[in-house]
Amino acid sequence: MTTYSKLQLGNPSDLRVQVVPHPGASLLSLVADAFGRRRHAVPHSARRAVLADTPAHAHATLRPLFAPEHPAIPDCLTPTGTMSHEGAARHLEQLHDVSSDMLLADLEADFGGDVPPQWRHVIERPKRWLDAYAQVMRCAWKTVRPVWTAAGRTLDREAERVGGSLVCGRPELALSSLSPRYRLDGTVLRLPDDHPEDFDLVGRRLLLVPVASGSDASLFAFDRPDSVWVGYPLPGLDALWAGRRPEHRTSRQDPAQLLLGDARAAILRATGASTHMGSLSSALGYAPATLSHHCSRLEDAGLIHRRRQGQHVMVRRTQRGSDLLDVLTH
């Protein structure tokens, strides 16, 4: 039976969402799948490459991080410790600067005086273990780095997709399609977790992190004071791991309709030139009050502009509206 941690998102209009293309999440997902028996559906060829390219001690070295009874990765070790754009390469450099005292302090903060058995040998020889850990992570990054580099355009399109839903005031369109393993129930985002807890976004930013590892990738962190982040599978992973460029298929249904709804998509497409509201109402077949409601929402999003000209109210698509249509059409 799947259990879920719950993230209460609050009022959708107050959400601050950002797509962060951070490669450290992909690195963490890759080693969790290969060495931690996590269900991330990394392709068999990629898993074999990681297992072949990492040193023989990799399983033993990483075992403390993924023990099922006490899963924990100290902050000083995680490649997602910061969501800056420095990325995984910078984190791997910083691993050389992690001291034994830093590691022991993080373990104390995580577990207090009751450190789980799988970490006790690390406490006895922390520097030796740190060197082994850094070696494993460097080797694993060599496997995922080419795929991450090839994913550049796919990452851009994913940011455009999420950004389009936010511009139009429809964040649920992005959040409900992150992963088949995630569930959006109203204002609650549910994520599979063997140790479920309830969390509240409470004004923090929500960082969405596309992960280039496996189609079932699921990882997240809710303990930061200013933000939470949720990792999810980047579309087109099978092609990327096979060395092909992903195909960006267009839905048979108008993407603008999927994102905006029929009425607002029709209004946006019909207002490339300045048109007065009466003509627009007749052309589209919407009652004036209904048309005014939808135009208000589009105007609030900066997609159209209305101005009075004599007895008429004229409406025209803005540059932002045109840019959004271009993104959804191409």
Side-chain angles (χ1 to χ4, degrees):
M1 178 180 176
T2 303
T3 56
Y4 295 88
S5 278
K6 302 175 186 177
L7 177 63
Q8 175 57 250
L9 301 172
N11 189 333
S13 64
D14 295 333
L15 277 177
R16 293 179 296 151
V17 183
Q18 180 182 356
V19 176
V20 179
H22 191 289
S26 299
L27 174 58
L28 182 58
S29 173
L30 191 68
V31 297
D33 180 282
F35 301 104
R37 297 183 179 180
R38 297 298 194 265
R39 177 193 161 190
H40 289 196
V42 169
H44 294 306
S45 58
R47 190 181 299 112
R48 286 196 301 269
V50 172
L51 295 174
D53 293 342
T54 47
H57 61 75
H59 274 100
T61 298
L62 295 177
R63 187 175 298 122
L65 281 66
F66 303 116
E69 62 274 15
H70 294 290
I73 303 179
D75 288 343
C76 65
L77 301 178
T78 177
T80 57
T82 172
M83 277 295 161
S84 72
H85 290 277
E86 293 176 329
R90 177 58 178 158
H91 166 75
L92 294 174
E93 293 176 7
Q94 292 173 334
L95 278 179
H96 290 289
D97 299 327
V98 175
S99 67
S100 298
D101 289 342
M102 291 173 61
L103 175 58
L104 295 176
D106 275 1
L107 290 173
E108 175 70 21
D110 287 339
F111 301 112
D114 188 19
V115 177
Q118 73 268 18
W119 282 102
R120 289 175 189 167
H121 73 282
V122 177
I123 292 175
E124 293 172 1
R125 304 187 72 174
K127 184 56 179 174
R128 179 177 178 180
W129 184 87
L130 281 168
D131 290 342
Y133 175 73
Q135 182 187 16
V136 171
M137 297 300 278
R138 284 196 302 270
C139 292
W141 175 239
K142 290 180 182 178
T143 301
V144 75
R145 181 173 54 194
V147 173
W148 182 259
T149 301
R153 180 55 184 148
T154 305
L155 289 164
D156 290 342
R157 291 184 68 90
E158 178 61 14
E160 291 169 355
R161 182 187 74 85
V162 174
S165 71
L166 300 175
V167 166
C168 300
R170 301 287 301 276
E172 71 277 6
L173 293 176
L175 296 177
S176 62
S177 59
L178 295 178
S179 166
R181 300 186 66 193
Y182 299 167
R183 292 167 46 192
L184 182 66
D185 294 336
T187 61
V188 177
L189 184 61
R190 301 174 184 267
L191 305 107
D193 193 351
D194 291 336
H195 304 272
E197 297 184 61
D198 291 351
F199 301 90
D200 199 316
L201 194 59
V202 289
R204 294 178 289 175
R205 290 180 302 145
L206 175 59
L207 308 180
L208 301 180
V209 185
V211 176
S213 58
S215 58
D216 278 350
S218 171
L219 59 169
F220 44 88
F222 297 154
D223 56 352
R224 300 182 181 187
D226 61 338
S227 64
V228 303
W229 67 266
V230 175
Y232 63 98
L234 178 68
L237 280 176
D238 289 343
L240 286 168
W241 278 110
R244 305 190 310 271
R245 178 175 296 181
E247 296 180 8
H248 301 294
R249 296 172 180 165
T250 302
S251 171
R252 291 182 179 179
Q253 186 175 352
D254 181 0
Q257 289 177 295
L258 292 173
L259 182 63
L260 301 170
D262 292 350
R264 294 174 196 175
I267 292 168
L268 203 59
R269 291 198 180 280
T271 52
S274 186
T275 307
H276 69 72
M277 293 285 285
S279 296
L280 193 61
S281 176
S282 299
L284 299 181
Y286 292 109
T290 300
L291 184 71
S292 180
H293 165 73
H294 289 301
C295 283
S296 293
R297 294 301 302 271
L298 290 170
E299 191 170 37
D300 289 342
L303 301 178
I304 64 170
H305 174 68
R306 288 185 291 179
R307 62 182 177 85
R308 181 165 289 280
Q309 182 176 308
Q311 295 182 343
H312 300 293
V313 175
M314 308 300 293
V315 56
R316 183 167 186 168
R317 192 169 66 226
T318 64
Q319 185 61 49
R320 176 183 286 185
S322 295
D323 290 344
L324 177 60
L325 282 181
D326 285 342
V327 168
L328 295 174
T329 301
H330 300 293

